[in-house]
Amino acid sequence: MATPLSIIKRSLSTSAVRQATIKNVTIIGGGLMGSGIAQVSAATGHNVTLVELNTDVLKKAQAGIQNSLGRVAKKMFKEKPADGDRFISETLKRLRGVTSAEEGVQDADLVIEAIVENMDVKHKLFKAIDAAAPAKTIFASNTSSLPISEIASVTNRKDRFGGLHFFNPVPVMRLLEVIRIPETNEETYQAMMAWGKAVGKTCVTCKDTPGFIVNRLLVPYMAEAVRMLERGDATARDIDTAMKLGAGYPMGPIELSDYVGLDTTAFIVEGWHKKYPDNPLFAPPEKLRELVKQGKLGMKTGEGFYKHSK
Ligand code: CAA
Ligand code: NAD
């Protein structure tokens, strides 16, 4: 099995090939995912604009990126720390932060949205940037569970719209799901595939179906693990240990829920349950709702199913 170090090395070495047409990338939302997408884009030579709601969140995102780059550089340039420092500073030079989405999309070849998993909020954003961005700009959403067609429906560029679904932690996970909707034109699809390769990811394509490939399989499994916990079948620790040692997963399903964020996990299952109420795989576990209500969102808030040191 590939180690995290070999994964990062491969990701960075493949990234030497850069797709000519996409140079300027704008990422909207600098949370767990947006920060990671901004980082890998800048590390592979793209000019990146990161859009956040205010300067405080922007600063937090930039600090997180710097920290993560440090982890990558430490491994990549073990023998040559000066080269590692140069890699970090050159990557950071290609990254700027702004607090206005309309301003942030002005020169973009590609815009990737990575804000909260809520259709109304995403619609509001896409309506605004559709009016502000140049006609050539490709729009993509990193949504975990919402239909790309429905997100794109408020724009006048459905032919230049698709899904680019990354995985957490973005600098380490090698996969990118590329989603095309019926209106996505071939040029846009090819540009998204080439850009995915240029940022060091292996691309797979999936239709615009709930959860695409990974989440359609992963999220019902995570939800069933929480139901096991609710039924008292086993403790959280034992469920996680069982799936790590018995099935070879790097994380158990309960710790993975904390890692993904319980709010995001809840948004996914609640949304699917509303749409497909008869599918038992999508039934939202009560414990998940409870923790979200208490503001215990997992690693990002320091507590979820487990307590996490910052
Ligand atoms: N940035 C940069 N490098 C990172 C990193 C980050 N955020 N996180 C981990 N790494 C790298 C580092 O090189 C780290 O080495 P250091 O100790 O020097 O920092 C190396 O990975 C190994 O990390 P750790 O030693 O901290 O821990 P690990 O070996 O257990 O690996 C993991 C961590 C890669 C996260 C691993 O546990 C894992 O693969 N977990 C499963 C993740 C997963 O399933 N993700 C998908 C979630 S679903 C999703 O994303 C889709 C959705 O829509 C919800
Ligand atoms: P997050 O809560 O960590 O970050 C979201 C960020 O978006 C926040 O920092 C927030 O301030 C910002 N934001 C909200 N509205 C905004 C706006 N109008 N303009 C600019 N910034 C705005 O969430 P996340 O986990 O990064 O998830 C983001 C998206 O990626 C969601 O659609 C989620 O489903 C998807 N996703 C999440 C994961 C995961 O493991 N967490 C994996 C793949 C995809």
Side-chain angles (χ1 to χ4, degrees), residues 4-5 8 33 39 68-69 71-72 74-75 142-144 165-169 171-173 214-215 218-219 250-251 256 259-260 264 268:
L5 175 58
I8 294 164
M33 296 307 292
Q39 178 182 328
S68 177
L69 279 171
R71 294 174 78 177
V72 173
K74 205 170 143 195
K75 299 260 164 152
N142 180 54
T143 180
S144 300
H165 185 223
F166 285 84
F167 295 84
N168 183 24
V172 179
M173 305 307 279
V214 173
N215 283 348
L218 194 61
V219 174
M251 274 181 180
L256 184 57
Y259 194 68
V260 163
T264 301
I268 298 171

Side-chain angles (χ1 to χ4, degrees), residues 73-282:
K74 205 170 143 195
K75 299 260 164 152
M76 273 286 296
F77 303 95
K78 213 188 272 175
E79 312 300 331
K80 293 181 178 168
D83 288 359
D85 290 346
R86 196 170 324 118
F87 161 74
I88 296 173
S89 70
E90 282 174 7
T91 300
L92 291 174
K93 263 190 232 153
R94 285 190 287 270
L95 188 71
R96 72 171 183 137
V98 299
T99 53
S100 153
E102 287 88 342
E103 181 198 332
V105 300
Q106 288 304 316
D107 295 321
D109 298 314
L110 172 67
V111 174
I112 303 175
E113 166 274 313
I115 65 168
V116 63
E117 188 73 339
N118 177 298
M119 187 62 83
D120 292 339
V121 183
K122 290 194 195 284
H123 273 171
K124 197 170 164 224
L125 172 73
F126 273 113
K127 256 190 219 164
I129 60 171
D130 191 35
K136 62 162 187 181
T137 310
I138 295 173
F139 282 3
S141 174
N142 180 54
T143 180
S144 300
S145 64
L146 300 172
I148 302 294
S149 285
E150 203 178 324
I151 300 174
S153 66
V154 297
T155 71
N156 291 312
R157 62 179 83 215
K158 297 186 199 70
D159 55 337
R160 283 150 289 146
F161 206 113
L164 287 174
H165 185 223
F166 285 84
F167 295 84
N168 183 24
V170 180
V172 179
M173 305 307 279
R174 292 155 57 197
L175 186 71
L176 175 64
E177 290 178 326
V178 178
I179 316 303
R180 61 191 302 179
I181 58 175
E183 295 90 344
T184 311
N185 67 32
E186 188 60 23
E187 198 184 329
T188 297
Y189 170 68
Q190 293 302 341
M192 291 195 303
M193 292 290 283
W195 181 77
K197 198 175 161 197
V199 296
K201 303 301 178 196
T202 297
C203 299
V204 294
T205 300
C206 181
K207 282 189 185 164
D208 189 17
T209 61
F212 316 127
I213 301 172
V214 173
N215 283 348
R216 184 61 180 265
L217 299 170
L218 194 61
V219 174
Y221 148 76
M222 285 155 67
E224 184 58 17
V226 180
R227 285 185 218 106
M228 285 190 83
L229 189 63
E230 287 176 337
R231 290 195 298 267
D233 294 344
T235 63
R237 282 273 174 231
D238 283 352
I239 294 169
D240 283 339
T241 300
M243 292 313 291
K244 283 189 281 194
L245 303 189
Y249 285 30
M251 274 181 180
I254 307 287
E255 53 183 340
L256 184 57
S257 304
D258 270 9
Y259 194 68
V260 163
L262 300 187
D263 50 346
T264 301
T265 310
F267 277 134
I268 298 171
V269 276
E270 299 280 0
W272 286 350
H273 177 63
K274 212 166 154 197
K275 234 173 176 169
Y276 310 97
D278 299 329
N279 189 336
L281 291 176
F282 301 158

Side-chain angles (χ1 to χ4, degrees), residues 3-17:
T3 62
L5 175 58
S6 68
I7 290 168
I8 294 164
K9 273 188 170 161
R10 190 171 338 164
S11 163
L12 286 171
S13 60
T14 338
S15 65
V17 197

